[in-house]
Amino acid sequence: MVMASVTTIASHLTSTFLYAPEFCRLSQSLHTSQRPCTRKSVSGTISANIDLKPPPYALDALEPHMSKETLEYHWGKHHRGYVNNLNKQIEGTELDKMSLESIILASHNKGDILPAFNNAAQVWNHEFFWESMKPGGGGKPSGELLELINRDFGSFEALIQEFKLAATTQFGSGWAWLVYDLEDKKLVVLKSSNAINPLVLGSYPLLTLDVWEHAYYLDFKNLRPDYISTFLDKLVSWDAVSSRLEAAKVSIEGK
Amino acid sequence: MSWSSSNYLCLSSSSSVTQFSRCKLPCESEGQRGKCQDLNRATNISAYNSLKPPSFKLDKGQRRNDHVLKKPRNISAYYSLKPPPYKFDALEPYMSKRTLEVHWGEHHRGYVESLNKYLGKDDILYGYTLDELIRVTYNNGNPLPEYNVWNHDFFWESMQPGGGNLPILGLLEQIEKDFGSFSNFREEFIETALTLFGSGWVWLVLKRNEKRLAIATTTNAVTPLVWDDIPLLSLDMWEHSYYLDYKNDKARYVNVFMDHLVSWNAALARMARAQSFVNLGEPKIPVA
């Protein structure tokens, strides 16, 4: 995923559409992929067009580690709520028709956040989170990812420890991240509160874990450490992390 | 038996197990129990937290404070886990027994234990009451350590079985004066609660300087004490507070709180106490 820069705000009619494929999922045919994607405005329908993307697996596919009920609420109510609220907020404004990443960067406003930020960032975070997991996940990473982990953390176990610590000590609502720092060219573990994500912190996200209570309360109640361990042992998709690392390297070379 | 400085907690090492129990105060013997009521309600009890959960059968107006200690002899003063002033199923069907069991028994207890553990490592923070500790550790918005103890004690006491309805007497007058009407206040409170993002609390506070009521929000574990305002009511908007009963339906939770749980008696008592510090009435003495 290439990070769209903030300067595209001025030319929102054209250049934003070149990027994120997730921006216009409705258009099936190739030749429409570069045109603005709007639904026909029937009275009462919102025409702002951030979509609710489903997870890349069925809602019960992560059982018994993450229950179907959790997915139904977490994706079906929370994630959907963020999407709907975001669309309501951006309709008719300059943020309308921008890609999700652009909306996040624009509404982050260098820290002085605008109302659309929380919803936009949460939509992005949740999409990223579903894709960070897979049925039959867990295990160990391999290849270049494992090499970088050994280089930057000493060992895979050390990474796990640090990730667990970040996720456990994030007080209140937030996320734990594994990111690729584009400046220093190394892997880093971060934690962020509420909706903040690495896009606004200047790094390239590779993996995330949602530690808002709604993510684990139905399955684990207050036992956040158990949830974190289950995620790392049984759910995390190292394949997704590897392919994101590839994309990160490409994006550096492209600059 | 030795008396602690507060004259309330007793350390007895007469047997092989050091017992930390409530002292028999002079007023309790000779059938004068009624005179002890105020002393029994001391709110800043420093008792070493034991792992045994307190029994939930409370006599009317009493708090059970017996702890049996099986720890080494060098006792220091820490903070204790105070039970809510009602039984766990007393708030049914608006807040389930299961929620109280997990919210108080796991979350609140966990906060107390981690605070005690932290204090075990840090000498500088010894000797404070909980109120003072909050102010000292606030650190301008980056509190260290983070703990949600005071807020939860306050929250349990902001609710009661058969709560809701309307405030009475001076509190109602003050609300009408500062918000226009009770329903304005109620609407504003609910809207504030619903627009709070992330984990936090919604409060009805008495602002010390402006001498008026206001609705405030705080994130994570912050409390309006750090701004020197006087809290009268609180509502826990952390997800763990409502997720078991209402899942993502925050609106229903907040409405139920206002209609059936909020303890206006507690708020009234707190406001009465606050008026020792904040003059809400018209000045009776003419300024020269």
Side-chain angles (χ1 to χ4, degrees), chain A:
Chain A
M1 258 177 307
V2 179
M3 284 193 282
S5 74
V6 180
T7 53
T8 55
I9 295 171
S11 52
H12 63 266
L13 286 175
T14 53
S15 57
T16 48
F17 308 131
L18 297 177
Y19 296 111
E22 85 276 5
F23 171 67
C24 193
R25 281 167 230 119
L26 291 182
S27 82
Q28 298 298 317
S29 54
L30 290 169
H31 71 273
T32 57
S33 63
Q34 302 225 335
R35 277 218 305 270
C37 195
T38 52
R39 299 189 196 120
K40 294 201 182 79
S41 239
V42 180
S43 65
T45 310
I46 301 166
S47 66
N49 40 22
I50 300 297
D51 285 338
L52 173 65
K53 200 170 158 198
Y57 35 75
L59 294 185
D60 57 0
L62 301 180
E63 294 263 14
H65 312 297
M66 189 177 278
S67 66
K68 178 180 181 201
E69 201 194 1
T70 295
L71 265 292
E72 280 173 351
Y73 276 96
H74 196 176
W75 175 79
K77 307 262 180 182
H78 290 274
H79 186 175
R80 186 190 301 271
Y82 293 127
V83 170
N84 291 343
N85 290 337
L86 176 64
N87 282 333
K88 268 190 258 180
Q89 274 175 321
I90 63 176
E91 187 180 9
T93 70
E94 61 184 15
L95 295 176
D96 202 351
K97 303 199 187 19
M98 282 167 71
S99 77
L100 191 53
E101 281 91 349
S102 307
I103 298 177
I104 292 174
L105 291 171
S107 56
H108 182 247
N109 201 20
K110 298 194 182 30
D112 188 15
I113 66 174
L114 304 174
F117 175 75
N118 284 333
N119 286 319
Q122 283 292 82
V123 173
W124 192 95
N125 293 347
H126 281 89
E127 277 178 18
F128 196 78
F129 178 50
W130 305 133
E131 289 160 8
S132 300
M133 295 190 286
K134 68 172 186 192
K140 285 182 75 147
S142 57
E144 197 186 352
L145 177 59
L146 185 58
E147 273 172 36
L148 277 187
I149 288 176
N150 287 332
R151 185 195 76 178
D152 294 331
F153 293 96
S155 66
F156 175 65
E157 285 70 28
L159 163 67
I160 295 293
Q161 281 306 101
E162 205 171 316
F163 193 85
K164 281 189 180 177
L165 184 67
T168 314
T169 55
Q170 175 51 40
F171 192 71
S173 305
W175 302 76
W177 304 86
L178 176 64
V179 303
Y180 188 65
D181 186 318
L182 298 167
E183 293 283 320
D184 300 336
K185 296 203 180 42
K186 56 187 284 231
L187 298 176
V188 182
V189 165
L190 295 177
K191 59 183 181 185
S192 66
S193 83
N194 288 0
I196 301 283
N197 64 28
L199 294 179
V200 304
L201 301 172
S203 354
Y204 199 99
L206 301 177
L207 176 64
T208 189
L209 173 57
D210 189 352
V211 290
W212 280 63
E213 286 175 325
H214 63 237
Y216 57 92
Y217 218 74
L218 293 176
D219 294 335
F220 295 92
K221 309 257 177 348
N222 63 308
L223 298 173
R224 196 196 277 192
D226 289 0
Y227 162 66
I228 298 168
S229 301
T230 304
F231 171 80
L232 288 169
D233 293 338
K234 305 276 197 292
L235 291 172
V236 62
S237 165
W238 292 114
D239 296 337
V241 180
S242 290
S243 52
R244 287 159 180 170
L245 181 60
E246 291 301 310
K249 301 211 147 163
V250 164
S251 80
I252 298 181
E253 281 150 32
K255 286 188 184 167

Side-chain angles (χ1 to χ4, degrees), chain A residues 69 73-74 77-78 82 118-119 122 169-173 194-195 212-215 217-218 221-223, chain B residues 98 102-103 106-107 111 146-148 197-199 219-221 238-244 246-248:
Chain A
E69 201 194 1
Y73 276 96
H74 196 176
K77 307 262 180 182
H78 290 274
Y82 293 127
N118 284 333
N119 286 319
Q122 283 292 82
T169 55
Q170 175 51 40
F171 192 71
S173 305
N194 288 0
W212 280 63
E213 286 175 325
H214 63 237
Y217 218 74
L218 293 176
K221 309 257 177 348
N222 63 308
L223 298 173
Chain B
R98 186 85 187 103
V102 181
H103 196 177
E106 312 273 353
H107 288 274
Y111 291 129
E146 298 187 276
Y147 49 93
N148 231 332
F197 188 72
S199 302
T219 55
N220 288 357
W238 282 61
E239 286 172 324
H240 63 235
S241 181
Y242 57 88
Y243 217 76
L244 290 179
Y246 300 98
K247 303 236 182 20
N248 65 311

